[in-house]
Amino acid sequence: MPFLGQDWRSPGWSWIKTEDGWKRCDSCSQELRSENSQYTINHSIILNNGEEEIFNNECEYAAKKRKKEHFGNDTAAHSFYREKWIYVHKESTKERHGYCTLGEAFNRLDFSSAIQDIRRFTYVVKLLQLIAKSQLTSLSGVAQKNYFSILDRIVQKVLDDHQNPRLIKDLLQDLSSTLCILVRGVGKSVLVGNINIWICRLETVLNWQQQLQNLQMTKQVNSGLTLSDLPLHMLNNILYRFSDGWDIVTLGQVTPTLYMLSEDRRLWKKLCQYHFAEKQFCRHLILSEKGHIEWKLMYFTLQKYYPTKEQYGDTLHFCRHCSILFWKDSGHPCTAADPDSCFTPVSPQHFIDLFKF
C-alpha cells in the first residue's frame, strides 16, 4: 500500500500488512548494502575533525539516503513534464494562481533531451553552473532531483564520448564548492531536504570529479583524411572560428604545425577585440621587450577581470507577447500577428533573472 502524502509526485513508501499491523517493506535493503561498498571517499577533505566523527556515525544512513534518492529520480523521471515551453508569470491573475518559479521552469523544460543536442549542450551546462553558484537552494525538492539526474546524464555522456570534459570539470568544481559551504554551514541557510541528502550529493560530485580526473582519451586509428592533412589556410580558418582561448591552446598541442598557427598574434588580437572593449585594453596593457602588444597574455589577463561573450549554437527564446519561454525549434502557441518579431534569445543568466522577484 503506497503512502499518499500531500505531494502527489512523491513515490512514497511501500507497506505490507502483517498480524502486528502495517510495516514498511524494505525489499531493496540488501541491494543497497551491496552497492554502498562501491562508494568510498576520504571525507576529511570536506569536514573538520569534529564534524567528520559525526558524519561517520551517520555514514550508513546517509548512503541509504543516496540510493533512495537515486531510485526516486528514476521513478519521478516519468512524472516530469516533457513540454518544451512554459508560461512565465510572476503574479496571480484571474486566469492563473500563484507564480512560476525557477524550479518549476527547470522541471518543465525539456533539458534531458537538450543535452543530447550538440547545439544546446553548452547552453545547458552553463545554466547548471549558474544554478550551482547561487540558486541551488532555491530549487524545490523535485527540481533538485531533476537537476542531479540531468547532471548524472551529462557526466556519463562525457565519460562515454570524451567530449567537453573541461566544461564539466568547471561545473563540478563550482558545484562541489557550493555543497561544501552548505554542508559546513548547516543552519545558516534553509536547505530543502535532510542534511544527509546534501552530504550524499557532495559525495556523488566528488566521485564524478574523480572519474573525470581518471578519464583517458583513447587514440583513434583512422587511415582516412585527418586534420593534419588539411592545407595551412584551412587550418588557420578553423582556429579563427574558435571563441575560447583554451580551445585554441588545446588544439595547438596536437601537432607542431597547429602550435605555430595557434601562436599567431593576429589570431589573439582578433579574439581580444571580439570579447573585450578598447578601454579594457588600456587598463591592462602588456608589452613585450620589443614594444609589441602580447595579445595572448592580454586575453588571459582580461579574462580574469571581465566576462567574455557567450556563444551558443541554440538557446531558449522568450516571447514578449505571450510571456512564454521555449526552445525555438519546437515553437509555441503564439497569438501575435508576427510571432518572429516577439522572440528574444535568452542567455543562461537571463534565464535565472526571469525568476527573480
Side-chain angles (χ1 to χ4, degrees), residues 98-149:
Y99 54 89
C100 183
T101 63
L102 175 63
E104 183 180 356
F106 190 82
N107 284 336
R108 296 186 61 178
L109 292 171
D110 192 11
F111 289 110
S112 297
S113 299
I115 62 177
Q116 304 300 328
D117 191 334
I118 191 172
R119 300 170 303 164
R120 300 174 179 174
F121 182 84
T122 307
Y123 181 87
V124 177
V125 171
K126 182 63 176 179
L127 179 59
L128 294 180
Q129 189 172 14
L130 290 177
I131 293 177
K133 287 181 178 180
S134 60
Q135 302 296 322
L136 190 60
T137 56
S138 66
L139 297 180
S140 64
V142 175
Q144 290 174 13
K145 287 186 177 182
N146 196 14
Y147 179 94
F148 284 94
S149 176

Side-chain angles (χ1 to χ4, degrees), residues 45-47 174-186 198 202 206:
I45 60 176
I46 311 170
L47 306 173
D174 291 335
L175 182 58
S176 62
S177 299
T178 300
L179 291 176
C180 279
I181 295 174
L182 293 176
V183 170
R184 288 175 176 174
V186 178
W198 291 93
L202 176 57
L206 293 175

Side-chain angles (χ1 to χ4, degrees), residues 68-338:
K68 174 191 169 184
E69 180 186 9
H70 175 70
F71 293 144
N73 283 339
D74 295 338
T75 305
H78 300 288
S79 64
F80 289 146
Y81 291 91
R82 286 297 177 262
E83 298 172 353
K84 297 185 180 180
W85 58 269
I86 183 173
Y87 179 79
V88 181
H89 54 107
K90 295 188 176 182
E91 57 184 7
S92 298
T93 63
K94 293 182 179 180
E95 294 79 12
R96 294 178 179 271
H97 295 282
Y99 54 89
C100 183
T101 63
L102 175 63
E104 183 180 356
F106 190 82
N107 284 336
R108 296 186 61 178
L109 292 171
D110 192 11
F111 289 110
S112 297
S113 299
I115 62 177
Q116 304 300 328
D117 191 334
I118 191 172
R119 300 170 303 164
R120 300 174 179 174
F121 182 84
T122 307
Y123 181 87
V124 177
V125 171
K126 182 63 176 179
L127 179 59
L128 294 180
Q129 189 172 14
L130 290 177
I131 293 177
K133 287 181 178 180
S134 60
Q135 302 296 322
L136 190 60
T137 56
S138 66
L139 297 180
S140 64
V142 175
Q144 290 174 13
K145 287 186 177 182
N146 196 14
Y147 179 94
F148 284 94
S149 176
I150 293 174
L151 185 56
D152 184 24
R153 296 178 187 179
I154 290 177
V155 173
Q156 297 307 318
K157 183 177 184 299
V158 173
L159 293 174
D160 292 338
D161 58 24
H162 298 174
Q163 295 182 10
N164 299 305
R166 181 169 54 82
L167 293 177
I168 310 306
K169 288 180 181 179
D170 293 342
L171 165 60
L172 294 180
Q173 180 61 39
D174 291 335
L175 182 58
S176 62
S177 299
T178 300
L179 291 176
C180 279
I181 295 174
L182 293 176
V183 170
R184 288 175 176 174
V186 178
K188 296 181 180 179
S189 61
V190 179
L191 299 180
V192 178
N194 191 281
I195 181 59
N196 294 292
I197 295 178
W198 291 93
I199 293 176
C200 293
R201 287 170 178 169
L202 176 57
E203 183 179 328
T204 302
V205 171
L206 293 175
N207 274 312
W208 287 338
Q209 288 181 306
Q210 188 64 38
Q211 292 177 27
L212 290 174
Q213 190 68 26
N214 298 333
L215 180 63
Q216 298 291 333
M217 299 293 183
T218 56
K219 185 177 181 180
Q220 297 182 355
V221 180
N222 191 351
S223 58
L225 185 68
T226 63
L227 188 64
S228 303
D229 298 326
L230 297 176
L232 289 179
H233 73 276
M234 293 186 66
L235 293 175
N236 200 40
N237 287 336
I238 293 175
L239 288 170
Y240 270 83
R241 296 296 186 273
F242 287 175
S243 61
D244 191 334
W246 285 111
D247 291 336
I248 297 176
V249 173
T250 303
L251 185 59
Q253 297 173 352
V254 177
T255 63
T257 302
L258 287 171
Y259 175 78
M260 177 190 66
L261 295 175
S262 67
E263 294 294 320
D264 185 10
R265 292 180 62 253
R266 291 174 297 178
L267 172 65
W268 291 99
K269 179 180 179 181
K270 185 176 180 180
L271 193 63
C272 288
Q273 291 175 341
Y274 173 76
H275 286 288
F276 309 107
E278 186 175 353
K279 292 182 179 179
Q280 297 170 342
F281 296 157
C282 299
R283 296 176 183 174
H284 305 277
L285 196 62
I286 302 177
L287 300 177
S288 64
E289 296 179 356
K290 297 181 180 180
H292 301 300
I293 299 178
E294 295 285 354
W295 290 107
K296 183 177 180 180
L297 293 177
M298 284 276 292
Y299 171 80
F300 289 107
T301 301
L302 293 170
Q303 193 181 39
K304 298 178 182 179
Y305 297 98
Y306 309 104
T308 57
K309 288 185 179 179
E310 298 176 356
Q311 223 179 33
Y312 305 104
D314 190 15
T315 66
L316 287 168
H317 282 65
F318 182 72
C319 179
R320 299 185 302 274
H321 180 267
C322 306
S323 296
I324 285 181
L325 193 64
F326 64 100
W327 293 106
K328 188 176 182 180
D329 289 351
S330 60
H332 78 287
C334 185
T335 58
D338 186 12

Side-chain angles (χ1 to χ4, degrees), residues 31-45:
E31 186 177 347
L32 292 177
R33 295 191 190 98
S34 62
E35 294 189 7
N36 285 341
S37 60
Q38 302 176 2
Y39 296 87
T40 56
I41 283 187
N42 184 8
H43 300 282
S44 60
I45 60 176

